[in-house]
mmCIF file of all heavy atoms in Angstrom:
data_model
loop_
_atom_site.group_PDB
_atom_site.id
_atom_site.type_symbol
_atom_site.label_atom_id
_atom_site.label_comp_id
_atom_site.label_asym_id
_atom_site.label_seq_id
_atom_site.Cartn_x
_atom_site.Cartn_y
_atom_site.Cartn_z
ATOM 1 N N VAL A 1 -206.054 -85.286 35.729
ATOM 2 C CA VAL A 1 -204.965 -86.107 35.212
ATOM 3 C C VAL A 1 -203.698 -85.265 35.124
ATOM 4 O O VAL A 1 -203.729 -84.091 34.762
ATOM 5 C CB VAL A 1 -205.317 -86.718 33.833
ATOM 6 C CG1 VAL A 1 -205.585 -85.638 32.790
ATOM 7 C CG2 VAL A 1 -204.223 -87.667 33.362
ATOM 8 N N THR A 2 -202.587 -85.892 35.484
ATOM 9 C CA THR A 2 -201.280 -85.241 35.491
ATOM 10 C C THR A 2 -200.322 -86.006 34.584
ATOM 11 O O THR A 2 -200.333 -87.243 34.565
ATOM 12 C CB THR A 2 -200.710 -85.216 36.927
ATOM 13 O OG1 THR A 2 -201.528 -84.392 37.738
ATOM 14 C CG2 THR A 2 -199.295 -84.677 36.943
ATOM 15 N N PHE A 3 -199.508 -85.261 33.858
ATOM 16 C CA PHE A 3 -198.442 -85.841 33.043
ATOM 17 C C PHE A 3 -197.118 -85.231 33.503
ATOM 18 O O PHE A 3 -197.009 -84.008 33.657
ATOM 19 C CB PHE A 3 -198.646 -85.546 31.558
ATOM 20 C CG PHE A 3 -199.918 -86.099 30.994
ATOM 21 C CD1 PHE A 3 -201.097 -85.364 31.060
ATOM 22 C CD2 PHE A 3 -199.951 -87.360 30.423
ATOM 23 C CE1 PHE A 3 -202.287 -85.871 30.550
ATOM 24 C CE2 PHE A 3 -201.131 -87.869 29.910
ATOM 25 C CZ PHE A 3 -202.299 -87.122 29.977
ATOM 26 N N ALA A 4 -196.123 -86.070 33.735
ATOM 27 C CA ALA A 4 -194.816 -85.583 34.178
ATOM 28 C C ALA A 4 -193.724 -86.292 33.395
ATOM 29 O O ALA A 4 -193.938 -87.364 32.819
ATOM 30 C CB ALA A 4 -194.638 -85.804 35.674
ATOM 31 N N ALA A 5 -192.544 -85.682 33.378
ATOM 32 C CA ALA A 5 -191.411 -86.223 32.624
ATOM 33 C C ALA A 5 -190.121 -85.881 33.350
ATOM 34 O O ALA A 5 -190.113 -85.035 34.254
ATOM 35 C CB ALA A 5 -191.394 -85.654 31.206
ATOM 36 N N PRO A 6 -189.016 -86.529 33.006
ATOM 37 C CA PRO A 6 -187.735 -86.214 33.650
ATOM 38 C C PRO A 6 -187.289 -84.784 33.359
ATOM 39 O O PRO A 6 -187.806 -84.110 32.470
ATOM 40 C CB PRO A 6 -186.768 -87.236 33.031
ATOM 41 C CG PRO A 6 -187.627 -88.323 32.505
ATOM 42 C CD PRO A 6 -188.896 -87.669 32.079
ATOM 43 N N SER A 7 -186.300 -84.344 34.115
ATOM 44 C CA SER A 7 -185.720 -83.017 33.928
ATOM 45 C C SER A 7 -185.196 -82.865 32.505
ATOM 46 O O SER A 7 -184.600 -83.780 31.942
ATOM 47 C CB SER A 7 -184.586 -82.805 34.934
ATOM 48 O OG SER A 7 -183.953 -81.567 34.723
ATOM 49 N N GLY A 8 -185.436 -81.696 31.921
ATOM 50 C CA GLY A 8 -184.965 -81.431 30.570
ATOM 51 C C GLY A 8 -186.012 -81.620 29.498
ATOM 52 O O GLY A 8 -185.812 -81.226 28.340
ATOM 53 N N TYR A 9 -187.138 -82.226 29.854
ATOM 54 C CA TYR A 9 -188.212 -82.444 28.894
ATOM 55 C C TYR A 9 -189.132 -81.225 28.849
ATOM 56 O O TYR A 9 -189.345 -80.534 29.846
ATOM 57 C CB TYR A 9 -189.070 -83.644 29.297
ATOM 58 C CG TYR A 9 -188.506 -84.993 28.951
ATOM 59 C CD1 TYR A 9 -187.292 -85.433 29.474
ATOM 60 C CD2 TYR A 9 -189.198 -85.868 28.127
ATOM 61 C CE1 TYR A 9 -186.788 -86.686 29.190
ATOM 62 C CE2 TYR A 9 -188.707 -87.130 27.823
ATOM 63 C CZ TYR A 9 -187.506 -87.532 28.366
ATOM 64 O OH TYR A 9 -187.007 -88.780 28.072
ATOM 65 N N LYS A 10 -189.710 -80.984 27.691
ATOM 66 C CA LYS A 10 -190.817 -80.050 27.548
ATOM 67 C C LYS A 10 -192.001 -80.828 26.997
ATOM 68 O O LYS A 10 -191.866 -81.563 26.018
ATOM 69 C CB LYS A 10 -190.466 -78.891 26.617
ATOM 70 C CG LYS A 10 -191.589 -77.869 26.511
ATOM 71 C CD LYS A 10 -191.190 -76.660 25.679
ATOM 72 C CE LYS A 10 -192.322 -75.643 25.636
ATOM 73 N NZ LYS A 10 -191.965 -74.443 24.819
ATOM 74 N N LEU A 11 -193.163 -80.675 27.632
ATOM 75 C CA LEU A 11 -194.332 -81.455 27.264
ATOM 76 C C LEU A 11 -195.418 -80.577 26.659
ATOM 77 O O LEU A 11 -195.603 -79.429 27.053
ATOM 78 C CB LEU A 11 -194.909 -82.168 28.492
ATOM 79 C CG LEU A 11 -194.049 -83.233 29.163
ATOM 80 C CD1 LEU A 11 -194.765 -83.787 30.388
ATOM 81 C CD2 LEU A 11 -193.718 -84.358 28.188
ATOM 82 N N LYS A 12 -196.136 -81.151 25.727
ATOM 83 C CA LYS A 12 -197.357 -80.562 25.187
ATOM 84 C C LYS A 12 -198.386 -81.686 25.114
ATOM 85 O O LYS A 12 -198.117 -82.736 24.520
ATOM 86 C CB LYS A 12 -197.114 -79.971 23.804
ATOM 87 C CG LYS A 12 -198.378 -79.429 23.133
ATOM 88 C CD LYS A 12 -198.066 -78.899 21.733
ATOM 89 C CE LYS A 12 -199.308 -78.436 21.010
ATOM 90 N NZ LYS A 12 -199.009 -77.949 19.636
ATOM 91 N N VAL A 13 -199.544 -81.481 25.716
ATOM 92 C CA VAL A 13 -200.573 -82.514 25.765
ATOM 93 C C VAL A 13 -201.905 -81.915 25.322
ATOM 94 O O VAL A 13 -202.279 -80.824 25.767
ATOM 95 C CB VAL A 13 -200.712 -83.123 27.173
ATOM 96 C CG1 VAL A 13 -201.756 -84.230 27.177
ATOM 97 C CG2 VAL A 13 -199.364 -83.663 27.663
ATOM 98 N N VAL A 14 -202.608 -82.634 24.463
ATOM 99 C CA VAL A 14 -203.936 -82.227 24.006
ATOM 100 C C VAL A 14 -204.940 -83.279 24.449
ATOM 101 O O VAL A 14 -204.809 -84.462 24.111
ATOM 102 C CB VAL A 14 -203.984 -82.075 22.469
ATOM 103 C CG1 VAL A 14 -205.382 -81.623 22.030
ATOM 104 C CG2 VAL A 14 -202.925 -81.092 21.985
ATOM 105 N N ILE A 15 -205.929 -82.847 25.230
ATOM 106 C CA ILE A 15 -207.011 -83.721 25.695
ATOM 107 C C ILE A 15 -208.321 -82.952 25.570
ATOM 108 O O ILE A 15 -208.428 -81.822 26.058
ATOM 109 C CB ILE A 15 -206.815 -84.158 27.157
ATOM 110 C CG1 ILE A 15 -205.582 -85.051 27.304
ATOM 111 C CG2 ILE A 15 -208.040 -84.913 27.667
ATOM 112 C CD1 ILE A 15 -205.346 -85.499 28.731
ATOM 113 N N ASN A 16 -209.302 -83.573 24.941
ATOM 114 C CA ASN A 16 -210.641 -82.997 24.895
ATOM 115 C C ASN A 16 -210.606 -81.553 24.370
ATOM 116 O O ASN A 16 -211.258 -80.666 24.916
ATOM 117 C CB ASN A 16 -211.274 -83.046 26.293
ATOM 118 C CG ASN A 16 -212.775 -82.867 26.256
ATOM 119 O OD1 ASN A 16 -213.430 -83.246 25.281
ATOM 120 N ND2 ASN A 16 -213.324 -82.274 27.311
ATOM 121 N N ASN A 17 -209.814 -81.337 23.329
ATOM 122 C CA ASN A 17 -209.667 -80.020 22.696
ATOM 123 C C ASN A 17 -208.984 -78.983 23.596
ATOM 124 O O ASN A 17 -208.994 -77.790 23.286
ATOM 125 C CB ASN A 17 -211.017 -79.470 22.219
ATOM 126 C CG ASN A 17 -211.622 -80.327 21.124
ATOM 127 O OD1 ASN A 17 -210.910 -80.818 20.240
ATOM 128 N ND2 ASN A 17 -212.933 -80.526 21.169
ATOM 129 N N GLN A 18 -208.414 -79.427 24.717
ATOM 130 C CA GLN A 18 -207.608 -78.543 25.559
ATOM 131 C C GLN A 18 -206.129 -78.825 25.285
ATOM 132 O O GLN A 18 -205.720 -79.979 25.225
ATOM 133 C CB GLN A 18 -207.885 -78.769 27.049
ATOM 134 C CG GLN A 18 -209.298 -78.469 27.493
ATOM 135 C CD GLN A 18 -209.431 -78.671 28.988
ATOM 136 O OE1 GLN A 18 -208.718 -78.056 29.782
ATOM 137 N NE2 GLN A 18 -210.350 -79.532 29.389
ATOM 138 N N THR A 19 -205.341 -77.776 25.153
ATOM 139 C CA THR A 19 -203.904 -77.915 24.916
ATOM 140 C C THR A 19 -203.136 -77.228 26.038
ATOM 141 O O THR A 19 -203.369 -76.051 26.333
ATOM 142 C CB THR A 19 -203.495 -77.292 23.576
ATOM 143 O OG1 THR A 19 -204.241 -77.910 22.517
ATOM 144 C CG2 THR A 19 -202.002 -77.478 23.317
ATOM 145 N N LEU A 20 -202.229 -77.968 26.680
ATOM 146 C CA LEU A 20 -201.378 -77.409 27.722
ATOM 147 C C LEU A 20 -199.926 -77.710 27.381
ATOM 148 O O LEU A 20 -199.602 -78.801 26.904
ATOM 149 C CB LEU A 20 -201.726 -77.984 29.095
ATOM 150 C CG LEU A 20 -203.112 -77.641 29.674
ATOM 151 C CD1 LEU A 20 -203.300 -78.304 31.027
ATOM 152 C CD2 LEU A 20 -203.303 -76.143 29.790
ATOM 153 N N GLU A 21 -199.052 -76.745 27.651
ATOM 154 C CA GLU A 21 -197.617 -76.902 27.431
ATOM 155 C C GLU A 21 -196.864 -76.442 28.670
ATOM 156 O O GLU A 21 -197.222 -75.436 29.283
ATOM 157 C CB GLU A 21 -197.153 -76.068 26.233
ATOM 158 C CG GLU A 21 -197.721 -76.502 24.898
ATOM 159 C CD GLU A 21 -197.142 -75.710 23.744
ATOM 160 O OE1 GLU A 21 -195.909 -75.782 23.538
ATOM 161 O OE2 GLU A 21 -197.910 -75.011 23.061
ATOM 162 N N ASP A 22 -195.811 -77.170 29.041
ATOM 163 C CA ASP A 22 -194.976 -76.769 30.169
ATOM 164 C C ASP A 22 -193.749 -77.672 30.199
ATOM 165 O O ASP A 22 -193.677 -78.675 29.483
ATOM 166 C CB ASP A 22 -195.747 -76.878 31.490
ATOM 167 C CG ASP A 22 -195.162 -75.991 32.582
ATOM 168 O OD1 ASP A 22 -194.067 -75.437 32.368
ATOM 169 O OD2 ASP A 22 -195.783 -75.855 33.649
ATOM 170 N N GLU A 23 -192.799 -77.328 31.061
ATOM 171 C CA GLU A 23 -191.623 -78.161 31.261
ATOM 172 C C GLU A 23 -191.902 -79.177 32.356
ATOM 173 O O GLU A 23 -192.265 -78.811 33.473
ATOM 174 C CB GLU A 23 -190.423 -77.299 31.646
ATOM 175 C CG GLU A 23 -189.983 -76.352 30.537
ATOM 176 C CD GLU A 23 -188.766 -75.540 30.937
ATOM 177 O OE1 GLU A 23 -188.303 -75.715 32.085
ATOM 178 O OE2 GLU A 23 -188.302 -74.730 30.118
ATOM 179 N N GLN A 24 -191.772 -80.442 32.014
ATOM 180 C CA GLN A 24 -191.844 -81.570 32.943
ATOM 181 C C GLN A 24 -193.233 -81.897 33.461
ATOM 182 O O GLN A 24 -193.534 -83.055 33.705
ATOM 183 C CB GLN A 24 -190.931 -81.343 34.164
ATOM 184 C CG GLN A 24 -189.451 -81.429 33.856
ATOM 185 C CD GLN A 24 -188.655 -81.396 35.135
ATOM 186 O OE1 GLN A 24 -188.098 -80.376 35.491
ATOM 187 N NE2 GLN A 24 -188.623 -82.502 35.839
ATOM 188 N N TYR A 25 -194.126 -80.918 33.651
ATOM 189 C CA TYR A 25 -195.322 -81.176 34.440
ATOM 190 C C TYR A 25 -196.539 -80.480 33.839
ATOM 191 O O TYR A 25 -196.523 -79.272 33.615
ATOM 192 C CB TYR A 25 -195.082 -80.690 35.871
ATOM 193 C CG TYR A 25 -196.285 -80.779 36.777
ATOM 194 C CD1 TYR A 25 -196.691 -81.997 37.299
ATOM 195 C CD2 TYR A 25 -197.000 -79.631 37.120
ATOM 196 C CE1 TYR A 25 -197.790 -82.070 38.137
ATOM 197 C CE2 TYR A 25 -198.095 -79.705 37.964
ATOM 198 C CZ TYR A 25 -198.489 -80.926 38.465
ATOM 199 O OH TYR A 25 -199.576 -81.004 39.290
ATOM 200 N N ILE A 26 -197.598 -81.251 33.563
ATOM 201 C CA ILE A 26 -198.855 -80.719 33.032
ATOM 202 C C ILE A 26 -200.008 -81.355 33.791
ATOM 203 O O ILE A 26 -199.989 -82.562 34.074
ATOM 204 C CB ILE A 26 -198.978 -81.014 31.523
ATOM 205 C CG1 ILE A 26 -198.030 -80.115 30.725
ATOM 206 C CG2 ILE A 26 -200.415 -80.817 31.037
ATOM 207 C CD1 ILE A 26 -198.027 -80.396 29.246
ATOM 208 N N ARG A 27 -201.019 -80.536 34.115
ATOM 209 C CA ARG A 27 -202.161 -81.045 34.873
ATOM 210 C C ARG A 27 -203.473 -80.527 34.297
ATOM 211 O O ARG A 27 -203.652 -79.328 34.113
ATOM 212 C CB ARG A 27 -202.040 -80.615 36.339
ATOM 213 C CG ARG A 27 -203.087 -81.236 37.258
ATOM 214 C CD ARG A 27 -202.953 -80.649 38.643
ATOM 215 N NE ARG A 27 -203.802 -81.327 39.618
ATOM 216 C CZ ARG A 27 -204.322 -80.741 40.687
ATOM 217 N NH1 ARG A 27 -204.089 -79.461 40.914
ATOM 218 N NH2 ARG A 27 -205.086 -81.415 41.514
ATOM 219 N N PHE A 28 -204.388 -81.461 33.995
ATOM 220 C CA PHE A 28 -205.746 -81.127 33.575
ATOM 221 C C PHE A 28 -206.694 -81.388 34.747
ATOM 222 O O PHE A 28 -206.600 -82.440 35.406
ATOM 223 C CB PHE A 28 -206.179 -81.995 32.392
ATOM 224 C CG PHE A 28 -205.443 -81.736 31.112
ATOM 225 C CD1 PHE A 28 -204.218 -82.335 30.866
ATOM 226 C CD2 PHE A 28 -205.973 -80.900 30.139
ATOM 227 C CE1 PHE A 28 -203.540 -82.111 29.677
ATOM 228 C CE2 PHE A 28 -205.301 -80.673 28.948
ATOM 229 C CZ PHE A 28 -204.082 -81.270 28.715
ATOM 230 N N VAL A 29 -207.610 -80.445 35.003
ATOM 231 C CA VAL A 29 -208.557 -80.603 36.110
ATOM 232 C C VAL A 29 -209.982 -80.471 35.585
ATOM 233 O O VAL A 29 -210.225 -79.945 34.497
ATOM 234 C CB VAL A 29 -208.303 -79.564 37.231
ATOM 235 C CG1 VAL A 29 -206.904 -79.722 37.797
ATOM 236 C CG2 VAL A 29 -208.515 -78.142 36.715
#
């Protein structure tokens, strides 16, 4: 699963006890 956002955003996503942070783009595999 991939999460993306417009330019200027910073994302943090927590799924299944996994936490990922990045600008605009996050991918769980």
